[in-house]
Amino acid sequence: MVSISKVALALVAATSSVSAFTVPTTNTRTTITQRATVEDSEVATDFDLNEYLLSKKDDIEAALKASVASTMPQTEKICESMDYSLMAGGKRIRPVLCIAACEMFGGTQEVAMPTAVALEMIHTMSLIHDDLPSMDNDDLRRGKPTNHIIYGEDVAILAGDALLSTSFQHVAQETPKTVSPERILDVIIRLGKSVGPVGLAGGQVMDLECEGKEGVTLEDLTWIHTHKTATLLQVAVASGAILGGATPEEVEACEMFALNIGLAFQVADDILDVTASTEDLGKTAAKDLDADKTTYPKLLGLEESKVEARRLIDEAKASLEPFGEKAAPLLAIADYIIERSN
């Protein structure tokens, strides 16, 4: 069987020119062994992902909250709707990936934070729109009523639109001037592409077209999730690396890492959809099954999907071998992605 990662790489080559903070409940203290130098000497590090995430928690949450604060009475309702979904919790994986990648190359959290916020804005927009009756028609997200249930479909759509447009403004306006305009522009271009026809929007359209459709292939499914899911994770890591001063070759290695963890993230999601409860997930369980969506367990079977998720994570981690112990946060997140319970 051809691995998902090989299919994804072929697809990328064909299409690219390129207020609660949830901490993982799994055991995330792990010993990570990496080949860290050209002499292939091994460096082992005991890294606690919970501790790392908690160290970022307050700053990320404060930055997110400030980014959607209303500045006049006329914007109170839409800002409230934006805030409702942006601050509804979640793992904040995309902001943390961006910050960790920036720090890996000597950058700072301050430099990465505007882009980290923008990534979570884009992700939140996608969740608001995914939950709409015309899309996945869900009334529960992160254990709370979805945005359109509280504010109505009209305001929910506009809140998603506002989050998307504000994300680009936020990067351009808030990134410290110590970062060169060329690197900021590179980040903005990548963010824009990630939600376009060869990004989230294109992946979502193909996902809708494949609902209940016979003959959907692994290549089709991988195209969907390379663009619908993995691309934004890829941009998170690549943008952090760019802001931290990485070379083009180093950015490419980060993109390979993030592509594979993005696909593994979706495989894990598909597995959880059929194995976890609604209470555990914080959203409706078996939703994909009920909608007759094509999923990895449907094509590969449950056990083979678990094997493929681990294979993707192993390939992802291999991409970061040149960076040694500095890659510890990213490597721990990779492991967490397939060990999580929601």
Side-chain angles (χ1 to χ4, degrees):
M1 179 178 291
V2 178
S3 72
I4 293 170
S5 55
K6 290 181 180 178
V7 175
L9 293 178
L11 291 170
V12 170
T15 60
S16 297
S17 59
V18 260
S19 57
F21 186 97
T22 303
V23 176
T25 56
T26 54
N27 180 8
T28 51
R29 180 177 290 279
T30 182
T31 298
I32 301 165
T33 301
Q34 281 292 88
R35 295 191 180 278
T37 69
V38 292
E39 291 82 18
D40 284 340
S41 62
E42 292 187 347
V43 176
T45 179
D46 186 25
F47 183 81
D48 190 326
L49 180 58
N50 284 343
E51 184 178 314
Y52 182 78
L53 292 178
L54 285 171
S55 75
K56 304 299 181 187
K57 171 194 170 186
D58 291 344
D59 290 340
I60 290 174
E61 295 297 314
L64 290 172
K65 187 75 176 176
S67 73
V68 290
S70 177
T71 57
M72 60 190 75
Q74 295 89 340
T75 62
E76 284 180 2
K77 186 170 185 178
I78 190 167
C79 287
E80 181 184 317
S81 178
M82 293 162 72
D83 178 278
Y84 177 80
S85 291
L86 189 65
M87 304 307 297
K91 303 166 201 62
R92 309 304 192 199
I93 290 294
R94 292 153 193 83
V96 173
L97 284 170
C98 181
I99 292 168
C102 185
E103 291 176 338
M104 185 168 72
F105 292 101
T108 65
Q109 178 177 289
E110 179 188 11
V111 163
M113 189 63 80
T115 299
V117 168
L119 288 158
E120 197 70 358
M121 285 181 171
I122 292 171
H123 176 56
T124 301
M125 172 277 297
S126 75
L127 300 182
I128 293 172
H129 287 179
D130 276 356
D131 291 334
L132 291 168
S134 59
M135 300 280 276
D136 288 348
N137 192 24
D138 214 331
D139 58 5
L140 192 66
R141 172 70 66 176
R142 292 170 175 163
K144 298 173 63 176
T146 47
N147 196 292
H148 68 274
I149 296 296
I150 301 296
Y151 296 98
E153 291 180 50
D154 48 2
V155 174
I157 291 168
L158 293 168
D161 293 344
L163 284 167
L164 179 59
S165 59
T166 303
S167 69
F168 304 113
Q169 175 191 350
H170 199 74
V171 174
Q173 188 170 292
E174 302 297 331
T175 302
K177 303 307 179 186
T178 53
V179 181
S180 71
E182 291 78 13
R183 288 185 181 265
I184 297 173
L185 180 60
D186 192 0
V187 168
I188 292 172
I189 290 171
R190 289 169 185 268
L191 287 170
K193 184 178 178 182
S194 75
V195 288
V198 288
L200 191 153
Q204 182 68 56
V205 168
M206 189 167 177
D207 190 26
L208 292 170
E209 288 183 338
C210 288
E211 284 186 12
K213 182 180 178 181
E214 295 292 330
V216 178
T217 65
L218 179 61
E219 184 175 355
D220 293 331
L221 187 61
T222 304
W223 197 95
I224 289 169
H225 292 302
T226 295
H227 298 88
K228 179 184 173 183
T229 304
T231 294
L232 194 57
L233 291 168
Q234 197 173 30
V235 172
V237 181
S239 294
I242 290 165
L243 293 168
T247 67
E249 293 76 19
E250 290 169 335
V251 172
E252 185 176 354
C254 288
E255 287 184 305
M256 298 303 296
F257 164 80
L259 172 62
N260 280 306
I261 67 165
L263 290 171
F265 190 96
Q266 186 60 50
V267 178
D269 252 15
D270 287 355
I271 292 169
L272 288 170
D273 186 66
V274 296
T275 61
S277 67
T278 295
E279 183 179 8
D280 288 337
L281 291 175
K283 60 182 179 179
T284 307
K287 190 74 177 178
D288 292 344
L289 185 64
D290 292 342
D292 197 20
K293 284 193 174 186
T294 302
T295 65
Y296 289 106
K298 185 176 180 179
L299 289 185
L300 301 178
L302 186 58
E303 292 308 312
E304 185 59 31
S305 294
K306 292 177 181 178
V307 170
E308 190 61 29
R310 172 48 65 186
R311 184 183 301 125
L312 286 163
I313 291 300
D314 289 344
E315 290 187 13
K317 291 166 74 173
S319 301
L320 299 187
E321 284 187 356
F323 309 121
E325 192 172 344
K326 292 179 181 179
L330 295 176
L331 297 173
I333 291 170
D335 283 329
Y336 164 68
I337 279 173
I338 60 170
E339 294 170 0
R340 61 198 170 95
S341 59
N342 57 31

